[in-house]
Amino acid sequence: MKDRRTLHRTLLLLAAMAGSTLAAAGQEQAYELKIRAGLKSGDLQKDHQDNKALGFAVAARRPFGQGFITGELSFDLFPGQAHDATPFGSAVYAPAGTGLGTSDPTTHNAYFLRPNESLDLRKESSQGFSLKGGYAAPLSWNEGLTWQAGLSLDAYKTSSEFTGTLRPMVNVGSAPTQVLDSLGRKYYEGFATVSKGTSLTPGFYIGLRQQLSEDFALEVNLRNVGMKHFDYRATTYTGRAATTDSSTIRGFIVDFSLALKL
C-alpha cells in the first residue's frame, strides 16, 4: 500500500509538472508523439540481464531564440530476464540458525553448494514515467539537424522476483555429503519472494534530431537514468536472518525515437 501511495503521488507530481510545461506556450507550441526503442548498459543491463528499453512519449517544442525549449512526458519499459545467480564456489553458511559458521566443526571442511541440487533464480524489471525538459538548437552543417540536451525526473517502479532452493554440502572423506540440521534431517533453504518499489531520481540526456519532413523526425539520445535495485540475501549466504536489501542503480540508455507531429 505504501508503494502504491508513493507511486500515485509521484504520478500526480509528474502530471502537474508536465501540464505546466505544455501549457507554458501559446499558439507557437508544437506537439508530438514519440515511439522509441533503445539499448541500456551499465548496472541496468547487468541487474536486468537484458539490454532492451522501450517507450512512448508526448512532447512539446516551443521556439525560443535560435532554437527551441522542449518538454516531454514518457512511459518507459525496461524488460528483465530470469537468470541463475547461485554463487557456486563461494563460502556458504549452514545449517541456518545454528551458528556453525562456514565449515563443519567436526571435519573443518568448508560447506559448499552442489550445482545439481541448488538454484537461485532471479528476475528484475522496471517501468514508469519520465519528465524531461531541455533546449534544442540547429546545427549549421546539415539542414534540419539539431542538437538537444536537458534534465529528467524519473519515477520508475522496479519488481524483483527471487526463487530458489539452496542445499549446502560438506566433503566427508572424498564424498560430498548433505548437511544435517539439529534434528538430523537433511538441511536446505528455500525461498520465493517478490520485492517492489518506486524511486524518484534525477537524470540527464543529450542527443541529435533530424527533421525528415514537416510531420516526421528521427532522434537519437544518450540518457542517464536511475532506479531501484533489490538484492535478496539468503541465510545460507550470510549466516544471518534472510534480508532483502535495496539500493539505487544508474546506467546509460541509447534510444532511437520516431517523432510524429500531432
Side-chain angles (χ1 to χ4, degrees):
M1 292 297 294
K2 182 178 179 180
D3 284 342
R4 289 183 179 179
R5 289 195 296 269
T6 301
L7 180 59
H8 185 254
R9 287 194 294 266
T10 300
L11 294 180
L12 288 177
L13 173 63
L14 290 178
M17 295 176 68
S20 176
T21 300
L22 297 177
Q27 297 300 318
E28 295 180 329
Q29 187 85 8
Y31 297 95
E32 297 176 331
L33 174 66
K34 295 182 181 180
I35 302 172
R36 66 164 50 101
L39 299 173
K40 56 195 177 189
S41 63
D43 287 339
L44 301 185
Q45 180 183 4
K46 178 175 68 70
D47 293 326
H48 291 180
Q49 289 291 299
D50 190 292
N51 65 354
K52 294 185 291 296
L54 306 169
F56 62 90
V58 175
R61 294 166 62 84
R62 178 188 185 188
F64 184 82
Q66 297 299 313
F68 301 88
I69 292 177
T70 63
E72 178 181 308
L73 179 63
S74 66
F75 179 77
D76 300 317
L77 292 169
F78 304 102
Q81 299 292 328
H83 64 284
D84 184 1
T86 314
F88 296 116
S90 301
V92 298
Y93 293 74
T98 64
L100 292 180
T102 59
S103 64
D104 185 332
T106 60
T107 65
H108 303 288
N109 291 331
Y111 297 128
F112 63 93
L113 295 176
R114 195 170 186 178
N116 63 346
E117 297 186 6
S118 298
L119 177 67
D120 184 340
L121 194 64
R122 303 186 174 207
K123 180 180 179 181
E124 184 166 272
S125 59
S126 303
Q127 64 180 31
F129 294 88
S130 177
L131 179 68
K132 303 176 184 67
Y135 182 75
L139 292 169
S140 59
W141 42 271
N142 192 61
E143 184 178 357
L145 183 65
T146 58
W147 64 267
Q148 55 193 21
L151 302 176
S152 67
L153 185 62
D154 306 315
Y156 294 132
K157 182 175 183 178
T158 296
S159 177
S160 300
E161 304 172 16
F162 307 96
T163 306
T165 300
L166 304 176
R167 294 185 179 275
M169 310 288 289
V170 66
N171 282 320
V172 178
S174 59
T177 302
Q178 177 77 51
V179 172
L180 303 180
D181 65 16
S182 58
L183 299 178
R185 300 171 300 189
K186 290 184 177 181
Y187 167 77
Y188 73 94
E189 181 177 6
F191 53 89
T193 183
V194 177
S195 296
K196 297 182 180 182
T198 302
S199 63
L200 190 63
T201 58
F204 64 88
Y205 70 92
I206 184 169
L208 296 172
R209 173 188 172 103
Q210 178 65 58
Q211 197 72 34
L212 302 178
S213 69
E214 182 180 352
D215 296 327
F216 297 95
L218 288 177
E219 293 185 4
V220 57
N221 292 286
L222 177 65
R223 302 169 54 200
N224 183 264
V225 302
M227 59 194 69
K228 272 190 177 295
H229 165 66
F230 295 98
D231 186 16
Y232 183 79
R233 300 184 183 276
T235 298
T236 303
Y237 298 155
T238 65
R240 299 183 294 272
T243 60
T244 301
D245 297 334
S246 66
S247 60
T248 298
I249 58 173
R250 302 196 68 87
F252 285 94
I253 300 170
V254 177
D255 67 42
F256 302 87
S257 301
L258 173 63
L260 299 86
K261 185 177 180 180
L262 298 176

